[in-house]
DNA sequence: CGCAAAGTTGATTGCGATCAAGGGTGGTGG
DNA sequence: CCACCACCCTTGATCGCAATCAACTTTGCG
């Protein structure tokens, strides 16, 4: 049986400041798993039996309302923790996590979370720092939803994505996983129709290039100006 | 000089599970202060020199956008911590805190936060639990802003407030601090005009009673139905 | 090749913002 | 004590953004 090597995780944010031996201890209790595209890692309301570390791929975290509307809370990139319901004092997952592409992840039983946090203070502190960062993200999003028009919200969403996962191509910065108009709509509280029209206009203006489940930002700077409201639409 | 008595804080959520002696240690380093109505406890972007515990009164936490629009992030009730920027890994306050009425609070230098969290694990855990709860609140709010119409958002906001600070009166549940139409608008991402019209309709329907900076919810159950979308508007 | 999923585009509608005007009320200072 | 004024609230009229409704096109996959 192949053991997991600590270099797999040593450089990732959640494990900064930890001793090599402690990394091994954690890895020794991890189970590695692959998740095929468009399947769930965990489901909203489900028993929070495990927490995860994404090693490769991209995951979208989705909340579904009682009447079936979907909101994409965030996208997870490699190196980030997900499903840390226990750290938030929950016993069920507050959202579903769906693999946007084929993914590789590590999983630990939730029960171990408090053990790890206590035994490895750096790990606990890093996690809480991440929670703090997410709280600020969420607040920023509330402000955005309260005060900004659709076009600026969509621009912000795209900028956040290229910052997180932008891959340089000859055309500009490509968002590195399949992203539909509907997905963008679910991130920004609008409809696929409105997003489609925006993309058309922006493409004409040379700000972006996009196709089926694919978006490339050609002129991030101009998109930023638009997002910040410094230009006419 | 009068010392602060530990019974002042022993029963409050942030201090659950702490030893009496440790409470005294914390109190020994606290400074108690009064804040007059409509003045700031701290300002957005300001150096986060202190964190606070609200002992009496009500505080509104406000974010202001570069173009001057205001969003009320939350109201703080007695027994809650505020200004815990350091716990979120920040050195400046992410929002302003304004006393909605005359308030009494305890203040500690921010520097002590990590000391307390390390020395009194219960205190740290309680705080992080609170941060987790706020993260969930914020997410719920994003969902709300993304998927619900104005009337339902306003209904939810009022229900949250009466849950937090509702005081029983002969008419129903009174929100226990001055709350203007503009305030409600700033909580829900709408305008005072729309809120005013809603209140008028709801008053006619017997759901609420309201006046100058005063709101009483007469029929919480019916308001909940409206908030959940189970009835026609 | 056929079909389902994704995207485009036009037409229409309506919610809620904005613009505008006026009324009520509590607090303050003369 | 009263008058005035700032602040809060109400209500009407209009407008525009973006949702909705509808039809069609494109694209990739099995």
């Amino acid at each position: 049986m192949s053991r997991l090597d600590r270099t797999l995780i040593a450089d990732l944010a959640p494990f900064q400041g930890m001793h090599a031996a402690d990394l091994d201890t954690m890895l020794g209790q991890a189970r590695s798993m692959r998740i095929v595209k468009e399947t769930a890692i965990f489901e909203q309301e489900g028993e929070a039996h495990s927490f995860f570390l994404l090693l490769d791929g991209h995951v979208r975290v989705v909340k579904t309302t009682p009447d079936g509307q979907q909101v994409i809370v965030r996208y997870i990139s490699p190196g980030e923790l997900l499903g840390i319901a226990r750290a938030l004092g929950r016993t069920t997952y507050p959202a579903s996590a769906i693999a946007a592409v084929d993914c590789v992840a590590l999983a630990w039983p939730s029960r171990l979370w408090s053990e790890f946090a206590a035994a490895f203070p750096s790990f606990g502190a890093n996690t809480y720092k991440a929670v703090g960062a997410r709280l600020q993200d969420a607040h920023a999003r509330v402000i955005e939803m309260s005060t900004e028009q659709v076009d600026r919200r969509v621009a912000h969403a795209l900028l956040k994505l290229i910052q997180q996962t932008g891959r340089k191509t000859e055309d500009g910065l490509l968002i590195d996983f399949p992203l539909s108009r509907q997905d963008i709509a679910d991130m920004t509280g609008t409809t696929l129709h409105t997003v489609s029209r925006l993309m058309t206009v922006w493409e004409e203006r040379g700000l972006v290039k996009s196709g089926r489940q694919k978006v490339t930002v050609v002129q991030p700077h101009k998109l930023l100006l638009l997002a910040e409201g410094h230009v006419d639409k």
Side-chain angles (χ1 to χ4, degrees), chain A:
Chain A
M1 166 193 170
S2 78
R3 311 228 3 202
L4 297 162
D5 191 288
R6 78 171 73 102
T7 59
L8 209 58
I9 62 166
D11 291 336
L12 305 179
F15 308 100
Q16 286 317 292
M18 285 182 66
H19 302 300
D22 294 343
L23 293 176
D24 289 339
T25 303
M26 282 190 69
L27 281 172
Q29 307 190 64
R31 170 174 59 94
S32 90
M33 60 191 287
R34 27 189 71 253
I35 307 102
V36 312
K37 185 173 169 173
E38 293 303 319
T39 61
I41 300 179
F42 53 81
E43 299 268 13
Q44 184 169 346
E45 310 299 340
E47 182 70 22
H49 49 78
S50 303
F51 67 95
F52 306 85
L53 173 73
L54 186 64
L55 288 175
D56 191 53
H58 290 278
V59 173
R60 84 174 164 267
V61 178
V62 179
K63 278 207 167 209
T64 306
T65 63
D67 58 311
Q69 292 185 80
Q70 296 208 328
V71 177
I72 297 182
V73 176
R74 55 198 306 270
Y75 276 91
I76 306 277
S77 295
E80 289 185 78
L81 295 174
L82 65 157
I84 49 173
R86 283 291 165 82
L88 310 178
R90 292 189 55 113
T91 58
T92 60
Y93 296 113
S96 299
I98 316 284
V101 295
D102 289 343
C103 289
V104 179
L106 298 181
W108 289 270
S110 286
R111 167 177 52 78
L112 293 181
W113 196 89
S114 43
E115 283 182 28
F116 288 164
F120 318 130
S122 297
F123 178 71
N126 291 338
T127 308
Y128 282 124
K129 208 167 127 189
V131 172
R134 290 187 195 179
L135 177 57
Q136 294 188 65
D137 269 10
H139 277 157
R141 189 119 165 246
V142 169
I143 310 297
E144 222 177 274
M145 297 292 308
S146 300
T147 63
E148 293 182 1
Q149 315 235 87
V150 166
D151 57 344
R152 292 178 56 184
R153 300 207 302 267
V154 172
H156 270 130
L158 293 182
L159 289 168
K160 228 180 297 176
L161 288 174
I162 60 166
Q163 234 182 332
Q164 205 182 324
T165 75
R167 217 190 63 213
K168 195 124 188 138
T169 69
E170 52 178 20
D171 287 333
L173 294 160
L174 171 70
I175 292 170
D176 207 16
F177 54 82
L179 183 73
S180 72
R181 305 287 185 263
Q182 181 68 59
D183 291 334
I184 299 174
D186 289 347
M187 297 179 71
T188 52
T190 180
T191 63
L192 76 163
H193 308 278
T194 297
V195 173
S196 177
R197 286 180 228 271
L198 275 175
M199 299 304 282
T200 303
V201 173
W202 289 351
E203 184 125 23
E204 282 165 2
R205 290 217 258 144
L207 295 177
V208 304
K209 284 197 182 190
S210 71
R212 194 186 180 80
Q213 299 192 99
K214 191 166 74 66
V215 180
T216 304
V217 176
V218 180
Q219 303 191 53
H221 182 62
K222 285 205 179 166
L223 196 60
L224 182 59
L225 289 178
L226 199 157
E228 299 296 336
H230 295 317
V231 289
D232 44 57
K233 339 214 156 100

